[in-house]
Amino acid sequence: MPGGHEAPVFARAIIIRAQRDPVDQILNKRAPAEYPIADVLARRWSPRAFADRAVGETDLRTLFEAARWAPSRSNSQPWRFLVATRREPREHERLASVLSDRNRRWATRAPVLALGIAQVRDGDRPLLHGHYDVGQAVGSLLVQATELDLHVHQMAGYDRQAARELFGIPDDFEPMSALAIGYLGDLDSLPEDLRERELAARQRRSTHEFVFTGQFGSSRA
């Protein structure tokens, strides 16, 4: 310290906690936004460590109520969701069984697993915006989850054909993203390699890299 004075005991304790407490780091993993964004968006992130704490049925239904009110082309609402909680161990295990080995290492601890499904055909007519609209529904679900202090981690790593066969998904529907839903848990529940990823700084492309004017690739300065 300047002048040779030591920091007060309480201040040293705060410094030590900041240095040693990885849980504090993940509890405060806000987006380092370049421009102001809504607080709920800044707080949303996708952990792998989930607490052994059930999600109440009312809160669970609230998540899908938020998805229900997402926009869609011509109000077609092409989203469907398969959902299982750990209160339904057989169904939870069935959903977990289609996940990749890498995702099963952590996702089975989540109290809720879900699978987003898009309607891609209506009879002979293709629904070209089905995938997009399911993404909008899940986006609404993510915002609502954050408002409830819940977290959602979306997964592309699962066996789509196995899911189709196991759950009887019709041909005019397509499995999209798997979801793990729950409360933030103990970092020590994860394997070491995943703990490191959990603590990594959040990164995104700058808006200059994907917002264009005039023609594709021409950055909006």
Side-chain angles (χ1 to χ4, degrees):
M1 298 289 292
H5 297 292
E6 291 189 1
V9 172
F10 73 88
R12 293 202 302 272
I14 292 172
I15 293 169
I16 291 170
R17 177 174 173 78
Q19 291 173 340
R20 297 182 180 177
D21 191 352
V23 174
D24 185 67
Q25 294 181 49
I26 65 173
L27 284 174
N28 295 286
K29 201 166 181 180
R30 296 175 61 87
E34 296 176 349
Y35 296 92
I37 61 175
D39 182 70
V40 67
L41 300 178
R43 289 189 290 115
R44 187 221 62 81
W45 69 288
S46 306
R48 296 175 182 82
F50 287 97
D52 185 15
R53 175 185 172 189
V55 176
E57 187 64 25
T58 298
D59 284 348
L60 186 60
R61 290 181 180 274
T62 295
L63 297 182
F64 292 100
E65 184 70 11
R68 175 190 177 206
W69 289 100
S72 61
R73 180 181 181 273
S74 300
N75 200 28
S76 57
Q77 305 169 61
W79 47 77
R80 305 290 188 276
F81 294 92
L82 279 162
V83 184
T85 73
R86 294 182 71 179
R87 295 188 296 271
E88 306 147 333
R90 181 174 179 272
E91 296 306 321
H92 193 273
E93 289 170 7
R94 290 177 77 214
L95 256 178
S97 72
V98 304
L99 299 179
S100 67
D101 291 342
R102 185 172 182 82
N103 283 330
R104 271 200 304 270
R105 290 196 300 160
W106 59 268
T108 54
R109 293 181 59 89
V112 180
L113 294 175
L115 181 63
I117 302 165
Q119 184 177 6
V120 294
R121 299 193 67 81
D122 183 10
D124 293 332
R125 181 170 66 93
L127 299 181
L128 301 179
H129 290 78
H131 300 110
Y132 177 85
D133 289 340
V134 171
Q136 295 198 91
V138 173
S140 293
L141 184 153
L142 296 179
V143 171
Q144 186 63 57
T146 306
E147 281 288 287
L148 296 173
D149 290 326
L150 290 164
H151 292 272
V152 182
H153 192 116
Q154 301 175 76
M155 297 168 280
Y158 71 95
D159 189 328
R160 286 160 176 73
Q161 187 57 35
R164 182 180 294 281
E165 294 172 1
L166 184 61
F167 299 110
I169 298 172
D171 290 342
D172 51 351
F173 288 82
E174 187 173 327
M176 298 297 294
S177 179
L179 312 172
I181 304 170
Y183 296 96
L184 192 62
D186 186 351
L187 196 64
D188 290 337
S189 68
L190 297 174
E192 183 176 355
D193 62 319
L194 294 183
R195 287 200 298 270
E196 293 175 358
R197 295 183 66 179
E198 207 84 336
L199 294 172
R202 298 183 65 184
Q203 297 180 351
R204 290 292 191 277
R205 290 188 177 96
S206 168
T207 55
H208 297 296
E209 298 181 61
F210 63 86
V211 180
F212 308 139
T213 295
Q215 66 181 48
F216 189 90
S218 178
S219 177
R220 182 176 180 83

